[in-house]
Amino acid sequence: MMSHIKTGIFIIMAAGLFACSKSSDPYAAYKNGDFDTARKGFISLAERGDLNALTHLGVIYQIGLDTEKNYAMAAKYYEEAASKGNAPAQYNLGLMHYEGIGMAKDHKKAFKWLSLAAEQEHSKAKKLLGHLVGNRKGSQITD
């Protein structure tokens, strides 16, 4: 009888630990495809200045993961992280400007953000920046 009680307590404790870890780690929730839980956790982290959380929120809103696509929100989160030096956010924001995702194409803004990401050795930013610039100088880029 005592062993059944111990087993029951262990199962309850393990379930409680699993629930806590699931709700407290938005990165794990994101990886597991639980985007609603991830979004809520990232919002909490973003309020405390977590740049990676801001970038993940941008992705969630840009793609529409368990929420409607919202390009304005995606750009807002990307810009907040990008302005503080987050290379993935700089790349994503540069890509949005380059391709006109949810906004008018703006190659000057794309150049700005892609250049900042490329300076941090972001390989996709370097590649897209090379395509954008081609044989032109950055100051000659037009929309």
Side-chain angles (χ1 to χ4, degrees):
M1 173 88 167
M2 187 59 113
S3 101
H4 291 297
I5 293 172
K6 287 181 183 177
T7 302
I9 291 172
F10 174 76
I11 291 171
I12 291 170
M13 288 175 58
L17 289 172
F18 176 76
C20 288
S21 67
K22 182 179 176 186
S23 65
S24 64
D25 185 2
Y27 294 99
Y30 186 91
K31 185 177 178 180
N32 292 325
D34 184 1
F35 301 114
D36 187 53
T37 298
R39 183 178 50 78
K40 291 172 185 171
F42 288 141
I43 288 170
S44 176
L45 291 175
E47 289 170 351
R48 292 180 273 162
D50 186 310
L51 302 182
N52 290 323
L54 287 165
T55 303
H56 276 78
L57 283 167
V59 171
I60 287 170
Y61 282 105
Q62 182 178 351
I63 297 173
L65 301 172
D66 277 359
T67 188
E68 289 189 34
K69 287 183 182 182
N70 187 329
Y71 297 123
M73 287 292 287
K76 171 189 169 269
Y77 285 121
Y78 288 149
E79 188 157 8
E80 187 173 345
S83 66
K84 294 176 183 168
N86 183 277
Q90 292 167 340
Y91 168 75
N92 290 346
L93 187 58
L95 181 63
M96 288 183 79
H97 284 294
Y98 178 79
E99 294 189 354
I101 301 171
M103 59 184 66
K105 286 184 180 184
D106 187 331
H107 288 170
K108 287 182 181 180
K109 287 183 181 178
F111 179 81
K112 170 190 171 180
W113 293 114
L114 293 171
S115 294
L116 290 169
E119 287 173 8
Q120 296 184 65
E121 300 301 321
H122 191 285
S123 61
K124 289 181 180 179
K126 289 170 122 179
K127 184 176 179 178
L128 186 55
L129 185 62
H131 179 73
L132 175 63
V133 173
N135 292 326
R136 298 175 288 180
K137 297 193 183 303
S139 63
Q140 296 172 331
I141 292 176
T142 59
D143 295 331

